[in-house]
Amino acid sequence: MGDTSETPASRGIPERLISATIGLLAEQGPSAIKARTVASASGLSTMVVYSHFGGIPELVRAVADHGFEELGKAFSQVPVTDDAVADLFAMALTCRRVAGENPHLYDLMFGLSTRATYRPLSDADLRFSGRSPAFRKAYAVVAEACARLVGSGRVAQQDPDVVTAQLWSYVHGYITLELAEHFTEFEDPVAQVLLPMGVGFAVGLGDDRERALASHEEGLRSFRSTAGS
């Protein structure tokens, strides 16, 4: 039987449950996320799931928050240069990498149902809505880079928050479609789809096309050198 005692060691139990849930998502998908299977995977009792989170919906919400925390850390590791366009494309590629490492977790974080249907809590503080502190912290890193872009003079003066929302939309639209295998006919979907789309986005904001292309290529080189790929 698993350990349900409240000892100093129990302070790590929520993390164990979250880690086990993430592993189950990666290996088996959302259908495996039940109190019994999570408890078994974490080496604890079923009651521990309820005592620490209240139930599976709350655990799933905590897992989504953890996913955004990790995404924020990944964004923060992208080098900040004097080329905000290159930095933003490196962030887009970073987000794509994170999503590809655990597509089911990505679906859960963004409330998608490409591969599954999640049943989150229905209360007004729903964390999948983009209001959670973990999401906001990750999003703020992208917003800061967008503000740097607008402030650099490379694009027309406009609301950085709107630019961030537009960038966020096109990047996650691409990732969602790629994970759903919509780009299998392309030999290199990053080079053939994502990069040109990013260039078009920058040009639409007012950037010079050749300069935008050079920046995106630099962002790709920077990402690959950092990721070791």
Side-chain angles (χ1 to χ4, degrees):
M1 179 177 293
D3 176 16
T4 60
S5 62
E6 292 296 330
T7 66
S10 71
R11 294 171 188 166
I13 288 177
E15 290 76 14
R16 286 171 63 182
L17 293 170
I18 289 170
S19 178
T21 304
I22 291 173
L24 287 169
L25 279 170
E27 295 169 8
Q28 303 178 42
S31 62
I33 308 308
K34 301 178 177 67
R36 174 178 53 79
T37 54
V38 170
S40 176
S42 57
L44 300 166
S45 73
T46 302
M47 186 55 64
V48 173
V49 177
Y50 296 101
S51 64
H52 281 274
F53 289 101
I56 289 299
E58 293 88 350
L59 171 60
V60 165
R61 191 161 63 175
V63 169
D65 278 350
H66 180 82
F68 281 120
E69 289 168 2
E70 293 302 306
L71 181 61
K73 290 177 184 177
F75 283 155
S76 298
Q77 291 170 1
V78 174
V80 176
T81 71
D82 58 1
D83 188 337
V85 174
D87 296 350
L88 284 168
F89 192 57
M91 286 185 189
L93 294 167
T94 297
C95 191
R96 172 181 178 266
R97 173 183 59 77
V98 170
E101 289 172 350
N102 193 335
H104 286 301
L105 175 59
Y106 174 82
D107 280 356
L108 187 153
M109 290 162 60
F110 288 92
L112 303 175
S113 57
T114 304
R115 281 160 295 283
T117 298
Y118 297 97
R119 300 179 183 276
L121 295 177
S122 58
D123 60 46
D125 189 36
L126 191 65
R127 291 180 184 255
F128 300 123
S129 65
R131 291 194 294 269
S132 79
F135 168 81
R136 286 298 177 188
K137 188 173 182 180
Y139 191 79
V141 181
V142 182
E144 182 180 350
C146 287
R148 287 196 295 110
L149 171 62
V150 173
S152 70
R154 280 186 61 169
V155 300
Q157 284 300 309
Q158 49 209 296
D159 186 344
D161 290 339
V162 174
V163 174
T164 307
Q166 293 171 344
L167 175 75
W168 195 252
S169 298
Y170 101 71
V171 170
H172 289 287
Y174 170 87
I175 292 172
T176 300
L177 291 172
E178 185 179 40
L179 290 178
E181 301 184 345
H182 282 262
F183 302 137
T184 55
E185 70 272 27
F186 294 102
E187 183 177 339
D188 186 347
V190 168
Q192 294 172 274
V193 181
L194 183 59
L195 190 151
M197 187 161 53
V199 171
F201 175 73
V203 172
L205 294 176
D207 199 9
D208 173 77
R209 179 168 293 277
E210 289 188 6
R211 190 175 184 186
L213 176 59
S215 290
H216 278 75
E217 290 174 342
E218 177 57 34
L220 179 58
R221 284 191 294 270
S222 174
F223 170 79
R224 286 177 172 168
S225 65
T226 302
S229 60

